[in-house]
Amino acid sequence: QLTMSLNSSTLLNEENAQGAKRNTECLESLLQTPSSFQDNPLQQLQLASQEVLEKAKKSGRSKCPRCNSSRMFYCYTCFVPVETVPTKEIPTVKLPLKIDIIKHPNETDGKSTAVHAKLLAPDDVTIYKYPCIPEYKEKRHEIALIFPGPNSVSVKDIPFHLQKYTKKGVCASDDDCSREPLLKQAKIEPEEEKNPNEGISSSRSEGIRLKKIIFIDSTWNQTNKIITDERLQGLLQIELKTRKTCFWRHQKGKPDTYLSTIEAIYYFLVDYHQEILKESYKGQYDNLLFFFSFMYTLIKDAKCCAGKE
């Protein structure tokens, strides 16, 4: 808690001046806001100009060019900017691998940040609504799933574990295989072993590397339904470093290390860039937070001037 004094007695004496009163409430609110709002890690981002969003904010809601729905900034069902936000003024981010986002059917579209990834990296991001998801079993040696679990590994250990997947063809370990139902295992093995040398020769020529990462877009209480789907079984699971969320719709009762989808994507890519690509990070993926950081500031300012914690 902050020990800074607001000198409230002096400020209260100026309540007859409306402007001063409003400023006092704003300052008090800012100091009472949780630390994630006080220490804004988003301030250091290297972002494209957000002037287009400032103009759109002043204009108010606008139509989606595809479905004609009234939206603010972008349409969360069509994954496109609204008419007041020209696509050419939105930054485009090129990612080092493909991303699949699996949305829970009960996840409210308008509250999800997954659409940010599709808007800003349209060539590399695909969003699926569960249960309509791809079959991943034939590509298990080049796909990983972001999910914290007992068998999850860190980003830096991805190459080592993908190599084991390539050697075994199906699973990272015998234990993983033994946990799968026998019928399912019998179904997978012939498909995986049709051309056992093909995957190995390919990995030798290209290097064993991750080509796709999967994120689950849902509340943590809804995640279990998706993570237990048989199509996701046997995938390498990755756990991110502990970071605190800046998301304004933080789930009640959950620690502040539970990230929003776009935060998880961003932080994974930063770690991947440094740990796997072995390159210094110079803001290459910062624009993935183009919409998120703008909305964060809007929410923070609204909370401040509304006198809310």
Side-chain angles (χ1 to χ4, degrees), residues 133-151:
I133 65 174
E135 292 283 350
Y136 294 108
K137 61 191 176 193
E138 294 183 0
K139 298 290 185 179
R140 287 181 181 173
H141 58 286
E142 58 188 34
I143 297 176
L145 171 68
I146 297 296
F147 189 79
N151 298 316

Side-chain angles (χ1 to χ4, degrees), residues 203-222:
S203 66
R204 282 175 181 168
S205 61
E206 297 177 8
I208 297 171
R209 62 188 181 93
L210 189 66
K211 293 184 179 179
K212 179 177 287 186
I213 193 78
I214 303 170
F215 291 84
I216 296 175
D217 184 51
S218 73
T219 63
W220 282 95
N221 293 333
Q222 296 169 339

Side-chain angles (χ1 to χ4, degrees), residues 145-308:
L145 171 68
I146 297 296
F147 189 79
N151 298 316
S152 297
V153 303
S154 64
V155 172
K156 68 179 181 180
D157 292 329
I158 288 176
F160 171 74
H161 288 278
L162 283 183
Q163 185 177 27
K164 292 197 297 182
Y165 273 51
T166 302
K167 288 180 179 178
K168 290 187 175 292
V170 178
C171 309
S173 69
D174 292 333
D175 290 338
D176 290 338
C177 290
S178 64
R179 284 199 295 269
E180 296 186 359
L182 292 178
L183 289 176
K184 181 186 173 190
Q185 187 175 345
K187 178 181 177 183
I188 290 177
E189 287 178 345
E191 295 182 17
E192 291 290 329
E193 295 178 359
K194 281 181 182 177
N195 297 301
N197 295 326
E198 183 179 340
I200 296 176
S201 61
S202 174
S203 66
R204 282 175 181 168
S205 61
E206 297 177 8
I208 297 171
R209 62 188 181 93
L210 189 66
K211 293 184 179 179
K212 179 177 287 186
I213 193 78
I214 303 170
F215 291 84
I216 296 175
D217 184 51
S218 73
T219 63
W220 282 95
N221 293 333
Q222 296 169 339
T223 300
N224 189 59
K225 181 177 179 63
I226 296 177
I227 198 64
T228 55
D229 189 286
E230 65 172 11
R231 290 167 290 185
L232 299 180
Q233 302 310 301
L235 291 176
L236 178 64
Q237 293 186 2
I238 309 299
E239 185 165 7
L240 300 178
K241 293 179 181 177
T242 301
R243 290 185 172 92
K244 293 184 179 181
T245 184
C246 289
F247 195 33
W248 48 92
R249 291 193 181 99
H250 183 65
Q251 298 172 41
K252 292 182 179 179
K254 303 299 182 183
D256 59 5
T257 52
Y258 282 23
L259 304 174
S260 66
T261 301
I262 194 63
E263 288 176 301
I265 292 173
Y266 170 73
Y267 285 126
F268 166 78
L269 289 171
V270 172
D271 290 346
Y272 183 83
H273 193 86
Q274 296 173 320
E275 301 282 359
I276 304 301
L277 301 183
K278 301 298 182 181
E279 298 178 14
S280 60
Y281 183 69
K282 298 179 181 179
Q284 290 90 334
Y285 315 119
D286 283 11
N287 274 322
L288 285 175
L289 299 178
F290 180 76
F291 290 103
F292 185 90
S293 62
F294 187 80
M295 294 178 177
Y296 170 89
T297 302
L298 286 182
I299 301 294
K300 184 188 72 171
D301 291 346
K303 284 177 175 286
C304 168
C305 294
K308 294 181 180 180

